[in-house]
Amino acid sequence: MAGEGGADRLDLGAPVVDGADDEELEGEEAGCTLIAVTIPDTAARDRLDKALAQLVPEAAGLTRSRLQALIGEGRVALDQPGGQTIDDASYRVKPGQVFQIAVPAPEPAVPVAQDIPLTIVFEDDDLLVIDKPAGMVVHPAAGNPDGTLVNALLFHCGERLSGIGGVRRPGIVHRLDKDTSGLMVVAKTDRAHAGLSAQFADRTLSRTYHAVVWGSPATGEGEIEGNIGRHPTDRKRMAVVSKGGKPALTRWRTLARYGLLAAHVECKLATGRTHQIRVHMAQIGHPLVGDPLYGKARPTGALGARLKEATPDAQAQLLGFRRQALHAKDIAFRHPASGDMVAFTSDLPADLAGLIFSLE
C-alpha cells in the first residue's frame, strides 16, 4: 500500500471479475492492474477525478479524462472491507481515504476472422439472426481476445458487417451474457444498424426470454421496475439502486410451477440493462437456477428442505446446472430495409430442456 499521498501499482494476473447495456459484462477486468491511491491532507475536499489525476504516477498514463471514464465505469472503489464503488467524478475526497483504481488491460487489436460454427436462423443482405450458444462471448475484450461471436461473424461475412459498432464490435446491435443462450440480431449494413438501434431505443423491438428460477412466485405474472446500476460494494455485480443507475422494466409470467421448489418463467424486456433479468428476478426473491452472481450454489431454509424432497434426478440437475438458466427464445422487429414485421424463435437448448424435463 502506498504511503500518504502516493500510489502503488500492482499487476494482478488473475481476473478480478467475470463478466454493458443489455446483458453482458464478461471479461471486463481480466488481467487488470490495480492502483492504490491515498488521499493526503492537501487534497481534502477535492473532486475525486482531480485528486486522482494529481496523485496517480505519470507512468500509469492516466489523464483526468481517462480517470473520469474509469470512475463512470465503476472501476474506482474505496479500499476497505466492503469498500464502496464510487461512480461520481465530483465525489469529494477526505484525507486518509484509500482508493483502488482497476485499470483494464489494453484492448485487443482489431479482431481476426475465425472459422467458428454459427447457427444462423435467418440471413439476407441487411442482417443476420444468430442462435448463440451458452459459453460464447459476443465480442473481444480483455481476457477474451478471440473465439467470440464477432470473430465468427468476420469469417462468415467478411467485410459485409456494419461499422457503426466500431472495429471491436462490427455489426453488434445488442448483446447477451456469455452464458445466456439464444437469439441475437446482427447488422450487416449501417442502415440496418441504425434502424435496429432505433427500435431498441423506442422499445418496439420485442425480446422474450425463458428462465428457470428458484421458488414459486406468489402470483402468475407481474412487472419489476427499478433502476439498475453497479452494486454499491461489490462491483462484480449489478443491483437495483435507489440513486443513479438506469431505468429498467421487466415483465414476467409463470409458465409452469414445480411445486414450491422452482418455476419456469417467461420474461419480456422493456429495457435492456446489464444483467437485467438476473438482477430483477433475484430482487423479487426468485434468482435464476445456476446463476453464479445473483443466486446461491445451494438453497437453504425452507427451499433447501424442498430440494431434499425432490427426485434425485431433479436435485442433480438443479445443483449441477453450471450457468444461469436463461435463454433468449423469441425476437421480433420491423425489418429495417423492407419495413415488414419479422419474428424468430429458438428451441430451448438441451441443457435447459433437460433441467425442465427433470422437474416435470
Side-chain angles (χ1 to χ4, degrees):
M1 194 62 66
E4 183 173 356
D8 282 343
R9 189 173 178 90
L10 305 173
D11 190 8
L12 300 186
V16 174
V17 64
D18 180 27
D21 280 356
D22 254 34
E23 295 287 307
E24 137 183 84
L25 262 156
E26 61 258 11
E28 278 192 351
E29 294 178 20
C32 77
T33 296
L34 292 185
I35 300 176
V37 177
T38 302
I39 304 300
D41 293 341
T42 54
R45 300 293 299 165
D46 277 353
R47 286 171 51 106
L48 177 60
D49 57 343
K50 177 183 178 182
L52 295 182
Q54 292 174 337
L55 296 168
V56 171
E58 290 185 10
L62 297 180
T63 63
R64 184 168 176 176
S65 60
R66 175 62 173 143
L67 286 163
Q68 288 172 343
L70 292 174
I71 293 167
E73 293 168 6
R75 297 183 186 274
V76 176
L78 283 166
D79 184 22
Q80 60 190 45
Q84 179 184 3
T85 297
I86 308 297
D87 59 7
D88 180 2
S90 65
Y91 173 91
R92 298 294 174 174
V93 300
K94 300 174 183 177
Q97 285 181 318
V98 181
F99 292 91
Q100 288 277 11
I101 309 168
V103 184
E107 293 183 350
V110 176
V112 297
Q114 293 179 298
D115 187 3
I116 301 170
L118 289 173
T119 300
I120 299 173
V121 177
F122 172 83
E123 181 177 11
D124 63 13
D125 291 339
D126 296 282
L127 56 86
L128 304 92
V129 177
I130 303 292
D131 198 341
K132 186 188 85 68
M136 174 179 272
V137 175
V138 170
H139 59 75
N144 294 292
D146 55 21
T148 71
L149 176 61
V150 162
N151 297 109
L153 288 169
L154 288 171
F155 183 89
H156 177 76
C157 299
E159 296 181 356
R160 294 176 294 114
L161 279 176
S162 165
I164 292 177
V167 293
R168 289 178 55 238
R169 305 177 186 182
I172 301 302
V173 183
H174 67 122
R175 292 166 286 174
L176 294 175
D177 277 347
K178 172 184 176 182
D179 288 326
T180 297
S181 56
L183 297 177
M184 287 182 58
V185 59
V186 175
K188 294 171 71 173
T189 67
D190 288 352
R191 176 180 65 174
H193 201 296
L196 291 166
S197 294
Q199 292 179 65
F200 274 100
D202 64 19
R203 304 181 184 181
T204 56
L205 185 148
S206 171
R207 288 173 289 168
T208 304
Y209 292 71
H210 281 211
V212 176
V213 302
W214 286 108
S216 181
T219 59
E221 60 184 22
E223 291 187 351
I224 311 167
E225 191 168 12
N227 284 20
I228 290 179
R230 289 278 185 179
H231 191 284
T233 60
D234 182 358
R235 70 172 317 277
K236 295 180 183 180
R237 296 154 52 96
M238 305 302 288
V240 174
V241 295
S242 57
K243 295 182 179 179
K246 296 181 180 181
L249 173 61
T250 302
R251 298 183 177 95
W252 63 272
R253 67 185 181 99
T254 302
L255 301 177
R257 300 178 189 273
Y258 310 112
L260 297 176
L261 179 60
H264 179 187
V265 300
E266 175 189 273
C267 296
K268 287 182 177 291
L269 291 179
T271 55
R273 307 307 181 201
T274 304
H275 296 175
Q276 179 171 322
I277 292 172
R278 299 164 66 185
V279 171
H280 272 173
M281 294 309 296
Q283 178 73 13
I284 64 169
H286 298 286
L288 273 58
V289 168
D291 195 324
L293 278 181
Y294 303 101
K296 294 181 178 179
R298 188 182 189 98
T300 56
L303 196 59
R306 293 178 192 128
L307 178 63
K308 292 179 181 178
E309 297 170 357
T311 66
D313 183 42
Q315 292 185 46
Q317 287 276 357
L318 286 164
L319 296 177
F321 207 78
R322 297 305 182 191
R323 67 176 181 100
Q324 60 267 11
L326 183 63
H327 180 68
K329 194 174 191 306
D330 301 293
I331 189 168
F333 53 89
R334 191 171 296 281
H335 194 287
S338 70
D340 296 333
M341 285 299 301
V342 292
F344 305 93
T345 191
S346 165
D347 293 335
L348 296 179
D351 61 347
L352 192 51
L355 172 63
I356 291 171
F357 181 80
S358 72
L359 291 169
E360 291 173 337

